[in-house]
Amino acid sequence: MNNPFDYTPDAACEEAFRELLLKIEDLQESHCPEVREFCRELKEGKMLGVLIAEDKAGDRHTLYAYSGQWGKAGFHFPGFVEPVFDYLVPEGYFKRKEAEISRMNHEIDLFEKESLVRVLAEYESVRERCGKEIAAFKEKITHSKRERAARRESGLTDVDERGAMVRQSQFEKAELSRMKKRSRAVLAPVENALEAARMKLGEMKEKRRNESEALQAWLFSNFKVSDSRGEMRSLSEIFAATSMGVPPSGAGECCAPKLLQAAYRRGWTPVSIAEYWYGNPKRGEVRRHGAHYPACRGKCLPVLRWMLGGLSLYPPLEEEMQSGLMTPSPEIIYENEWFCVIDKPSGMLSVPGKGKTLSVQTWLEERYGDDRGVRVAHRLDQDTSGLLVATFGSEAFRLMQSLFATRRVSKTYEAELEGDYKSRGLPQRGIVSLPLSPDWLDRPRQRVDFEDGKEAVTEYEFAGVTDGRSKVIFHPLTGRTHQLRVHAASDAGLGLPIVGDRLYGSPEWRMAPRLALHARHIEFTFPLDGRRYSFEIPPVF
């Protein structure tokens, strides 16, 4: 079976998906409200999955799935496989507890908007009234103090008058103290009522949080998936061994787990699998209608690692242990006492990853040994080739990183993009400014995020079109992960993915020999010698 994280759909999956598209077209004409609602949700964007499986007699069958839950509780759209665990059954445990938590939400909302607001308003009113009384009396004291000072400066006071002024001052101070004490006594009951209301609200929220966490724990403990040998394991058990510790929301509800579980329930052996995006992209993601995509790594990798147990996969799931073995070695193009400049090949990591794949950092350590303190000062994506700077010693590393952090390093990239920029109506040169954030459940993918994303700015200039590919020069003004790849692929950017981009590219271009992105020029002034350095290596694609 193909590896769901690293594959090109086979002919059977492609044909099955085309048939599914025709079925969806027919469904759009349906008179059934639920069917029309399903089609509307599909247009808003959803992943669809196809699995080819073989029964014991050797006959092949096609299964379809959509990601997530859909429709009213307990309803499963005909033609698609059932969920792995139908926790939305009406009157079931999950729905009953969910209803209780919804009631808690309503009670908390009502308490915050009515009871708490009323108590807070009373407290603020009493505090304001007491504050005004004290402020007015303080103003009176200040006025009396000025009058007494003026009278003393006149020289017309006698002993009795001066004594009276002292007694007046003492009385006013004592009266202010008594007034503050009375204010505290008046304010205390409403202050206590406000504190009690806040404590009650905190208790209500804590109870809701405990109930929600208990329901999630119940769900993940009862949400069990099978491997190909029929052994069952809960999501709680699967994710306990991961860095996350607990399953993320929606785990087990993607297409691939649904399809595999459905095949196992029927006693069928999975043969090939593919997932396709249908409809519009969501939340700034780079997704294209009808394109196939690998299974997400955050939610699906731990689940599928278990569910695929016992099946023979190509390539194996441990592809990170195998990749890069045939990658060409880097080349040192310049070296001095403080730093060296490397021409990194496509396919090699800049720094060590989770597997045993060779990285530029480990290659440099083997070359120079421990004495030089060699460290890569910045990074290039694994699939990007080109110029990379490494330093010798902690001072040079600190200074070089400071140059990058303060944008005093000029970088130029060259890329080939899918299609003709002129036909898309793009200007020959311009700026793309799209903030980016990680897609935490599908790393290493990034997405456009105008709410919480970090600033990402790229200058570009097209340099011609050859064989349907647009040559472009990029000058990144920031250094976000996958910045150039997302700015090129996103419809909010250039809308022309980089050729060979396995994450953001179109299916017909993904199988290019490599990612057509190259860091060709880098320039900076190094602080320790004040010299201006400039390096350039043209791309080989």
Side-chain angles (χ1 to χ4, degrees):
M1 179 181 163
N2 61 286
N3 182 338
F5 299 97
D6 184 9
Y7 71 97
T8 298
D10 65 8
C13 284
E14 290 280 79
E15 177 62 25
F17 181 64
R18 285 193 292 268
E19 292 176 0
L20 178 59
L21 292 179
L22 293 176
K23 291 179 182 179
I24 293 173
E25 286 183 13
D26 293 338
L27 292 175
Q28 292 172 357
E29 306 300 324
S30 173
H31 297 291
C32 175
E34 289 172 336
V35 172
R36 293 199 303 271
E37 183 182 349
F38 177 72
C39 292
R40 282 195 296 270
E41 182 166 329
L42 279 180
K43 288 182 179 179
E44 293 175 1
K46 187 175 282 291
M47 199 70 79
L48 300 178
V50 176
L51 177 71
I52 309 299
E54 193 173 90
D55 63 23
K56 293 180 180 179
D59 295 327
R60 293 199 169 188
H61 307 269
T62 301
L63 296 173
Y64 296 109
Y66 52 81
S67 60
Q69 295 277 356
W70 179 84
K72 63 184 181 181
F75 176 82
H76 313 306
F77 197 85
F80 290 87
V81 300
E82 67 280 3
V84 176
F85 176 42
D86 190 5
Y87 57 89
L88 295 182
V89 175
E91 305 306 320
Y93 179 82
F94 186 89
K95 295 304 292 182
R96 294 200 311 273
K97 298 300 292 186
E98 188 180 51
E100 292 177 14
I101 294 172
S102 294
R103 284 195 293 272
M104 290 181 187
N105 288 333
H106 177 70
E107 291 171 1
I108 289 172
D109 187 59
L110 200 64
F111 188 84
E112 282 184 305
K113 292 180 178 178
E114 294 184 5
S115 301
L116 183 61
V117 168
R118 185 170 58 251
V119 175
L120 181 60
E122 184 179 2
Y123 170 77
E124 293 291 349
S125 176
V126 173
R127 189 179 70 165
E128 183 180 7
R129 186 178 71 247
C130 292
K132 286 181 178 179
E133 291 176 357
I134 292 173
F137 193 74
K138 285 182 175 180
E139 181 65 26
K140 181 180 178 181
I141 291 176
T142 300
H143 182 70
S144 298
K145 187 176 181 180
R146 290 197 191 102
E147 288 185 339
R148 289 193 298 271
R151 185 64 181 165
R152 290 191 190 97
E153 290 175 0
S154 69
L156 301 176
T157 59
D158 56 19
V159 173
D160 292 338
E161 186 177 358
R162 288 194 293 272
M165 287 191 291
V166 170
R167 288 191 295 276
Q168 182 189 31
S169 175
Q170 292 172 341
F171 170 80
E172 290 173 340
K173 291 178 181 179
E175 182 61 19
L176 178 61
S177 178
R178 288 189 291 270
M179 183 176 288
K180 289 180 178 180
K181 186 176 181 180
R182 289 195 298 270
S183 294
R184 288 194 293 270
V186 171
L187 193 59
V190 291
E191 194 172 28
N192 292 337
L194 177 60
E195 181 63 22
R198 285 173 171 164
M199 286 184 63
K200 182 178 179 180
L201 179 62
E203 291 170 355
M204 294 170 72
K205 289 184 175 180
E206 178 68 12
K207 183 179 179 181
R208 178 182 62 182
R209 185 180 67 82
N210 291 337
E211 291 291 330
S212 296
E213 290 180 353
L215 183 57
Q216 283 290 89
W218 175 88
L219 173 62
F220 294 138
S221 295
N222 287 274
F223 199 122
K224 297 180 179 180
V225 293
S226 172
D227 67 2
S228 66
R229 296 162 291 223
E231 297 181 21
M232 303 294 291
R233 184 170 290 184
S234 71
L235 294 184
S236 295
E237 294 171 317
I238 289 172
F239 280 88
T242 69
S243 59
M244 288 183 280
V246 296
S249 177
E253 297 184 57
C254 296
C255 294
K258 283 185 175 182
L259 291 167
L260 290 172
Q261 190 80 348
Y264 295 154
R265 282 172 177 163
R266 292 159 174 79
W268 299 346
T269 301
V271 174
S272 61
I273 191 170
E275 294 183 67
Y276 301 84
W277 186 258
Y278 187 99
N280 299 318
K282 288 185 175 181
R283 302 183 302 275
E285 295 179 353
V286 178
R287 302 283 189 188
R288 300 187 183 279
H289 175 72
H292 75 272
Y293 290 91
C296 67
R297 303 189 73 83
K299 288 189 289 187
C300 285
L301 181 57
V303 177
L304 296 185
R305 192 182 291 278
W306 164 257
M307 297 188 75
L308 293 167
L311 295 179
S312 177
L313 298 181
Y314 183 80
L317 277 182
E318 291 74 21
E319 74 281 357
E320 64 271 14
M321 304 287 286
Q322 308 296 328
S323 65
L325 296 180
M326 301 302 294
T327 300
S329 296
E331 180 183 353
I332 304 292
I333 67 167
Y334 177 82
E335 178 183 342
N336 63 23
E337 61 182 298
W338 300 294
F339 64 84
C340 63
V341 180
I342 305 102
D343 181 12
K344 184 188 89 68
S346 174
M348 177 176 265
L349 292 169
S350 296
V351 296
K354 294 181 180 179
K356 299 179 181 179
T357 304
L358 181 67
S359 68
V360 174
Q361 177 67 46
T362 53
W363 182 82
L364 289 170
E365 290 170 353
E366 292 175 1
R367 178 185 178 91
Y368 291 106
D370 297 333
D371 296 340
R372 296 292 299 275
V374 62
R375 296 176 69 181
V376 172
H378 62 116
R379 299 184 186 185
L380 296 177
D381 290 345
Q382 180 176 4
D383 293 336
T384 303
S385 61
L387 297 172
L388 195 64
V389 180
T391 58
F392 301 116
S394 58
E395 183 181 17
F397 179 75
R398 178 182 59 81
L399 291 172
M400 190 65 74
Q401 285 218 309
S402 176
L403 293 180
F404 280 98
T406 54
R407 302 182 185 178
R408 288 181 287 167
V409 178
S410 173
K411 295 173 288 183
T412 301
Y413 291 73
E414 183 175 327
E416 290 182 349
L417 308 187
E418 301 177 8
D420 186 341
Y421 76 94
K422 297 177 184 177
S423 63
R424 185 168 167 79
L426 295 170
Q428 184 179 1
R429 61 176 61 88
I431 294 178
V432 177
S433 180
L434 296 174
L436 304 178
S437 68
D439 186 340
W440 295 109
L441 294 178
D442 197 8
R443 300 296 297 272
R445 290 181 65 92
Q446 306 290 306
R447 63 181 184 178
V448 177
D449 185 350
F450 289 101
E451 294 183 1
D452 302 312
K454 293 184 178 180
E455 179 191 27
V457 183
T458 303
E459 293 180 347
Y460 72 88
E461 181 175 358
F462 287 105
V465 180
T466 304
D467 297 330
R469 302 183 180 194
S470 296
K471 178 181 176 181
V472 66
I473 305 300
F474 286 127
H475 296 285
L477 304 185
T478 52
R480 307 300 175 204
T481 301
H482 292 183
Q483 175 176 318
L484 300 181
R485 297 167 70 174
V486 177
H487 280 183
S490 172
D491 287 335
L494 300 180
L496 297 173
I498 297 174
V499 171
D501 195 330
R502 297 177 294 174
L503 290 178
Y504 310 104
S506 303
E508 62 270 25
W509 293 88
R510 282 189 205 154
M511 299 313 295
R514 54 155 294 177
L515 178 72
L517 178 63
H518 179 77
R520 68 170 299 157
H521 180 83
I522 192 166
E523 188 171 341
F524 55 88
T525 299
F526 194 62
L528 291 181
D529 62 358
R531 178 182 167 187
R532 187 71 176 175
Y533 290 92
S534 179
F535 305 97
E536 182 156 350
I537 291 287
V540 295
F541 52 78

